[in-house]
Amino acid sequence: MSLFHEDRLLIDGRLVRAERTFETVDPSTGKVLGTASDADTGHVEAAVTAARRAFDTTDWMRDRELRLRCLRSLYDALHTHREELRDLTIAEVGAPRALTHGPQLDEPIEMVKYYADLLEHHPFREELPVLESRGRRHRRWIEKEAAGVVAAILPYNFPNQLALAKLAPALAAGCTVVLKGAPDTPWTTLALGRIIAEETGIPPGVVNVLTSSGPETGALLTTHPGIDMITFTGSTPVGKAIMAAASATLKRVFLELGGKSAMILLDDADLANAAMFAAFTICSHSGQGCALTSRLLVPRERHDEIVGLVAAMLGKVRYGDPADPKTHMGPLISEKQRAKVHGMVERAVAAGARLVTGGRPVDGEGFFYEPTLLAGVDPAAEIAQEEVFGPVLAVIAYDDEDDAVRIANDSVYGLSGAVLGADAERATAVARRIRSGTFSINGGNYFAADAPFGGFKQSGIGREMGVAGLEEFLELKTFAVPAD
Ligand code: NAD
């Protein structure tokens, strides 16, 4: 791909030049890809002021027809630019092409249509029964109105998905937005800003798009008095910092954070299938997915047999050039992330885990890491408790079903999980006992625009996508008037 430069930010309906830019790197080669806009405090102020003005002084919040037209035109524009966005996503995220036909690009674009369709029919009003109180009758109803000016802060791993899973319902609800992209993947976010500015008719100030090389821009948004609500996806430590920072102005805080999800193989599971599922899941986007199952819980007596099967499957995972349609696994996002992954693997081995396969950075250019299997992992070890965000699967033996459930729940996280077994009812009963926001039973796919996604415990607060994802951006206002 040729070098790409974007030094503009979307502020108040205009593409404004940033004085500073920063370099972005192709994770599959380690070489500089181009430059992106580096917002400063002045840009943050201007973006919040514009979003505030659009929310407080225009009809955006009340004009459902306008919002519907804007969402439909955003959907059309994203379709028009789909292949350009695909190239950007492959280049800067290192996302395998195949994944861009799913959750890295095509599915998120369809999510815009989902929210436009939902907006057409969603009840923003709810009647309550007449209340007899203090000698009078009172007619009551609830109206749902936009939560206000939203700061949306994105991580690097699925930038299109996470931008649109926040933007589409926020716009449907009538909010205005300051969207901040991740430092490692600014272009997809800037491209979205440019498309919005040039092709959608979304009124000035309703969407503002910033990118920056460091965390300061995000941090400023989390304390800014002009922001009513924060929607954040990213790591749990940053989520905690955001919640603390937002408390000074008591903003609504929506958090989608990390995970350490467990896949439980029941004793009657088809082991060959299960091994394939476990291996290909952990290598999906090189393990850089918050909901990927990075712990594999297996019956103790089948541990070694399953380890052999999973290792064989990991050996078949095709990794390399993300632009190649046959590639299953691309690189990690950066050398920093690769060093973090490798450090965790080394510490896991030092703590007693058996390295079965992988365990090394791949020689050559780019930030690739070998598909890695660690067996006989202690459920209390760092590798079983902390998020790796790399293609590293930890196999943990359990004694019986209760033990499996106990180990699966022995985590500060509660984002997702999976169970595989011959009897779907038994597997479902096990799934019900795990405290997590989503669950796959026998390979079922829960991830779709109409399905709420989010975490229990330290995996977050609130739900993205589905009707719940729209309601996150709505305030409830209760009205009452004497009925006689
Ligand atoms: P990160 O937490 O390092 O950064 C995310 C964003 O927060 C970036 O835009 C960053 O600039 C910004 N940021 C950093 N410090 C900030 C601060 N103090 N105030 C405000 N903003 C700040 O995450 P990452 O490394 O980009 O992404 C990986 C993490 O995201 C993983 O932990 C992963 O589990 C999580 N994630 C969660 C979900 C989910 O839905 N639960 C989805 C994708 C990724």
Side-chain angles (χ1 to χ4, degrees):
M1 172 162 198
S2 60
L3 284 185
F4 181 96
H5 303 280
E6 178 58 89
D7 64 355
R8 295 169 302 170
L9 300 159
L10 172 57
I11 299 175
D12 208 4
R14 289 188 313 117
L15 292 169
V16 176
R17 266 184 213 296
E19 276 162 31
R20 298 179 321 207
T21 56
F22 63 102
E23 286 182 340
T24 64
V25 170
D26 177 345
S28 69
T29 63
K31 296 190 176 115
V32 171
L33 266 175
T35 53
S37 327
D38 199 359
D40 59 28
T41 52
H43 296 120
V44 176
E45 276 305 324
V48 176
T49 302
R52 196 72 262 169
R53 184 194 52 72
F55 187 78
D56 293 334
T57 69
T58 78
D59 252 2
W60 174 253
M61 178 179 97
R62 280 168 289 276
D63 193 340
R64 191 199 286 221
E65 286 306 314
L66 171 62
R67 302 205 303 275
L68 193 53
R69 280 199 306 280
C70 288
L71 277 173
R72 296 231 184 271
S73 74
L74 175 60
Y75 175 68
D76 291 343
L78 289 170
H79 257 282
T80 306
H81 290 273
R82 191 160 59 162
E83 295 316 310
E84 174 199 333
L85 288 169
R86 194 181 313 286
D87 288 344
L88 286 181
T89 306
I90 292 167
E92 75 166 1
V93 186
R97 182 176 293 281
L99 218 49
T100 67
H101 292 286
Q104 280 285 13
L105 182 63
D106 291 356
E107 287 174 10
I109 292 177
E110 292 309 309
M111 190 151 40
V112 178
K113 180 174 182 310
Y114 167 80
Y115 277 109
D117 293 346
L118 187 65
L119 179 57
E120 269 194 281
H121 307 292
H122 190 69
F124 283 82
R125 180 185 166 110
E126 197 183 304
E127 299 297 326
L128 290 173
V130 169
L131 177 73
E132 306 261 358
S133 139
R134 297 173 204 148
R136 296 190 78 172
R137 301 175 76 239
H138 305 265
R139 189 166 68 79
R140 299 165 310 146
W141 71 97
I142 299 164
E143 290 182 11
K144 299 176 182 181
E145 67 178 51
V149 177
V150 172
I153 302 176
L154 308 179
Y156 73 80
N157 59 337
F158 283 80
N160 300 306
Q161 156 69 26
L162 293 159
L164 295 174
K166 297 179 186 312
L167 195 57
L171 298 183
C175 293
T176 61
V177 180
V178 179
L179 185 71
K180 194 209 79 78
D184 285 318
T185 54
W187 287 348
T188 44
T189 314
L190 290 170
L192 178 63
R194 195 197 71 232
I195 290 166
I196 287 172
E198 291 178 345
E199 293 179 42
T200 62
I202 293 177
V206 167
V207 181
N208 305 273
V209 175
L210 305 175
T211 56
S212 61
S213 55
E216 301 77 17
T217 313
L220 267 174
L221 290 169
T222 61
T223 51
H224 199 295
I227 299 287
D228 298 304
M229 171 177 171
I230 297 164
T231 168
F232 169 76
T233 297
S235 60
T236 294
V238 174
K240 289 178 182 174
I242 286 178
M243 200 167 167
S247 70
T249 44
L250 220 66
K251 300 183 195 314
R252 279 173 79 141
V253 178
F254 168 83
L255 302 170
E256 294 277 14
L257 308 175
K260 191 73 204 179
S261 303
M263 180 183 291
I264 302 175
L265 305 197
L266 296 177
D267 50 15
D268 57 1
D270 173 340
L271 295 191
N273 261 338
M276 185 168 68
F277 188 47
F280 281 87
T281 299
I282 194 61
C283 292
S284 173
H285 199 22
S286 310
Q288 299 169 110
C290 49
L292 296 177
T293 40
S294 52
R295 292 183 291 159
L296 183 63
L297 276 46
V298 304
R300 193 172 299 283
E301 61 281 5
R302 315 286 300 268
H303 174 274
D304 292 354
E305 182 188 354
I306 295 168
V307 163
L309 289 168
V310 177
M313 291 312 303
L314 285 174
K316 291 185 183 159
V317 170
R318 278 185 73 137
Y319 61 84
D321 180 5
D324 182 339
K326 294 204 188 75
T327 294
H328 179 71
M329 188 178 104
L332 292 167
I333 192 68
S334 62
E335 186 53 50
K336 187 173 159 213
Q337 181 61 18
R338 183 161 75 163
K340 180 196 155 202
V341 170
H342 191 51
M344 288 186 78
V345 170
E346 286 186 320
R347 289 198 295 281
V349 173
R354 179 161 64 87
L355 179 63
V356 183
T357 186
R360 279 178 314 154
V362 176
D363 288 339
E365 57 178 23
F367 310 129
F368 294 90
Y369 197 80
E370 293 176 345
T372 298
L373 187 63
L374 293 162
V377 170
D378 176 350
E382 181 198 43
I383 200 76
Q385 292 290 331
E386 301 288 331
E387 187 174 51
V388 180
F389 240 48
V392 180
L393 185 61
V395 185
I396 301 171
Y398 66 78
D399 293 322
D400 55 26
E401 211 173 280
D402 284 348
D403 196 33
V405 169
R406 185 190 59 75
I407 295 169
N409 279 327
D410 177 21
S411 171
V412 295
Y413 298 111
L415 191 56
S416 190
V419 59
L420 295 122
D423 175 355
E425 262 184 48
R426 178 184 169 209
T428 306
V430 170
R432 288 209 172 93
R433 297 175 65 191
I434 313 300
R435 289 185 37 81
S436 73
T438 50
F439 223 92
S440 164
I441 297 160
N442 287 340
N445 178 22
Y446 53 76
F447 197 76
D450 62 353
F453 179 86
F456 284 27
K457 301 195 272 183
Q458 293 189 28
S459 286
I461 299 174
R463 292 293 177 271
E464 203 149 71
M465 307 201 289
V467 175
L470 174 64
E471 299 271 343
E472 290 287 347
F473 293 98
L474 293 170
E475 288 278 12
L476 301 184
K477 188 186 274 182
T478 306
F479 294 82
V481 61
D484 42 27

